[in-house]
Amino acid sequence: MSGPSDYQPTNPVLQWIERRLPIFGLMHSSFVAYPTPRNLNYWWTFGAILSFMLGVQILTGVILAMHYTPEATMAFHSVEAIVRDVNYGWLMRNMHASGASMFFFAVYVHMFRGLYYGSYKEPREILWILGVIIYLLMMATGFMGYVLPWGQMSFWGATVITNLFSAIPYVGDSIVTLLWGGYSVGNPTLNRFFSLHYLLPFVIAGVVVLHIWALHVAGQNNPAGVEAKTAKDTVAFTPYATIKDLFGVSCFMILFAWFIFYMPNYLGDADNYIPANPGVTPAHIVPEWYYLPFYAMLRSIPNKLAGVVVMFSSILILVFLPWLDTAKTKSCSYRPLAKQFFWIFVIVGILLGYLGAQPPEGIYVIAGRVLTFCYFAYFLIVLPLLSRVEKPKPLPNSIADDVLAKTGRKTAPMVSTVIALMMAGALFAGSAQNARAAEDETPPSQTWSFSGPFGKFDRGALQRGLKVYKEVCSACHSLNYIAFRNIADPGGPGYSEAQAKSFAAEYKIKDGPNDQGEMFERPGRPADYFPAPFPNEQAARAANGGGLPPDLSLITKARSYERGFPKFIFDFFTQFQEQGPNYVDAILQGFEDKPPPGVTIPQGSYYNKYFPGHAIKMPKPLSDGQVTFDDGSPATVAQYAKDVTTFLMWAADPHMEARKHLGFQVFVFLIIFAGMMYFTKKKVWAVAH
C-alpha cells in the first residue's frame, strides 16, 4: 500500500546511494509518506510500543550476555555479579526482567485490540497469522529466558514445562531427553536454553519485518473497520502517527520506569532468589504471570496428554480466527452482541490467569474447567454463531465520516461486567474459605527507613546490623555475595576505605597453595568476601542437626508471604515490597519456649509462630543483652532483629539508593517529555482536523 517512493534526495552522496540502493526511498514511503487512517485511536500505539520493547530487550539482552555464564554451578552467581559488580548492571537486569513483562502486557493489549476491531479479517489474514507466530516465538523466548537465572523457580519451571512433551505418544520421551541434553534438567539444558534465548529475539525481529511488510501491503485497519477511499480518509504517517506514537511510548515508559526503579521484584517470585536445588521442590510451581491462563487450562484437564493438547490448542486456534468469524462487519463498535461477548472473553482470560496462580485443588480446578470451556466456546461457538444471527449497526460511508460524525460510539449496557462480578465473587468466596482453613500467622508490617520512593538506609542501623551479624549470625550463616570492600561503598553502612580495610584484617582467610603447595591463612583484604563458617554443606548440616543454614546475602528477597487480594493491587501504587524484611524480622522475634496447646513439633526442632509449619531447626538466635551497641541503642531482641534485617536488606540490594535516586530523575524527565509530546501532538493534529 505504501507504493513506489517519490523521495528525491538533494544531497549528492544520498543521490548516489539512492540510485544504487533505494533504502532511503523505502524508509520514506514506509515511515514518512505512508497513508495512515486518520481515525486511529491510542490502542494502535501499542504497535510502536512493541517495536520499542523489542529493541530494549535485544539491547539489554546482548549486554547481559557479555557477563552471564551459562554453566549450572555459576549461572546464579554470575547474575548476582552482574547486579552487584557491573556498572549499572542492576539497571540492565531490571530493564530486561521487567521488560519481559511489559513486552507481554503490550502484546496482549495489541492482540485484544485486533480481536475487538476485527484486524484478522480479509485482507489481513497473513498479517494476523504472522502476529500469532511472533507471539509463539515470544512465549518460547520468555520461557527460556526465565530459566537462565537458575533459581529454584527457574529450575523447577523448566523441569515441569519440558516434561510436558513426554505426553506425546511414541516420541515424547525422546523429545524431553533432547531438550534436557540428558536424563534430567542440568547444565546441557541451561546451555541449550541460553543459546536459543539469544537467537530467537533476532528471529522475532525478522518476523516483525514480515509483519510490518504485510501491514503495508494490506493497509492498516481502523476503529470503524472501513477501508480508506479518498485522501481525506488518511494522513501521512509522519508527523501525525509518529508524534502520536511518541506520546504513547513516553506514557508507557513511565509505567515501565515504575517497575525498573521502584518495583523490580513485584512481578517476580521470591523462590528465584534461591539457587537451584534439584533435591528441594518449591511448594507451588508457577510460571510467569503471562503464561498463567494457559497453565490454568493445562492443570484443569485430568489427563496429561489432553491437557497439553488443550494448552497448545488455545494458542493455535488464533491462527484459524479469520475463518471462524465470517461476519462482514469488522469492528465490534458496530456489533452490539459481539462487543458484549468480547468483554466476557477478556474477563475469562483474566480469571484464568488468576486460577493459574492458585493451587490445583477444589473449586479452582472446577472453575478452571468451566473457564477453559468458555475460552474455546468463544472461538468455536460464539463467533461462528454471531456471524449468522447478529444484526450490526450501519457503518459510516468513509473514515472521514466516522471522524466527523462519531457514529457507532455509544456504549452498550455492560452485561458482561455483571457476569464478571458474579464469577469473580464465587471464585474469591471459595479462595477465602480455603485460605481460612490453612491460615498461618502473617508477619506484622514494620516501619522501614528504606521503604517508599525516597527511602534510604539508616546508617546507624546498618552498622549495628553488621555487628549483630558478625557476633551472632556469622557462626552459622554465610554472606557469600558481600565483600569487605562493599561496606565502604556509597549507599552502604557508611564506613571509610580505611575502616573497611581494618575490618577485613580482623578475619583469617584461607588462601593458597603457596610455593610449597600448601594452603595457608592470612589476614583479610578489602577484596575478600565474608568467609563461610563451614567448609562445605555436609559440615554445616552436621553442626545444625541436619538443617542447612541458608546464605544470608539474598535472604530478604528470597523470603516472602502472600499479601492476597486486594492488597496485592494496592501494593503496586504504594510501592510496598517489604515482605522479605517483615518476614525475617518476624522469624527472629517469633520463637516461643513452648508450643501452643495441641501443637507438636518434631524432636530437635523449635517452635516459631511465623515460620511455615512452625517447626524450625534453628534455635532462638537472639536474646536481650547479647550484643552491646556503641551508640547506646537498646540491647533488645526487637532492636537486634530490626537492625540485622536492615543490614541484610542492604546486602540483598546494595544499589537500592542509587536505583531510587536515578529513578526520580528519570521520572521527572519522562513526565516533562510526555507533556511536550502531548502538546506537540495537539498542535500537529490541529492542522489535520
Side-chain angles (χ1 to χ4, degrees), residues 304-385:
K304 185 177 180 179
L305 177 59
V308 172
V309 171
V310 166
M311 183 180 69
F312 284 105
S313 298
S314 65
I315 302 171
L316 294 177
I317 197 173
L318 296 173
V319 173
F320 302 97
L321 186 56
W323 297 276
L324 292 172
D325 181 10
T326 57
K328 300 299 181 182
T329 302
K330 297 176 183 177
S331 176
C332 284
S333 298
Y334 300 92
R335 301 177 61 190
L337 288 177
K339 179 190 293 185
Q340 297 295 334
F341 281 106
F342 169 81
W343 287 112
I344 293 174
F345 174 73
V346 172
I347 293 163
V348 165
I350 294 172
L351 292 177
L352 278 170
Y354 166 79
L355 293 176
Q358 307 307 313
E361 58 190 23
I363 191 175
Y364 298 126
V365 175
I366 298 173
R369 292 171 185 170
V370 172
L371 293 176
T372 298
F373 172 80
C374 294
Y375 179 93
F376 283 96
Y378 177 74
F379 295 107
L380 300 176
I381 300 175
V382 173
L383 289 180
L385 188 61

Side-chain angles (χ1 to χ4, degrees), residues 177-193:
T177 303
L178 177 65
L179 289 171
W180 287 351
Y183 297 100
S184 64
V185 173
N187 192 64
T189 318
L190 182 61
N191 276 272
R192 282 162 166 73
F193 282 18

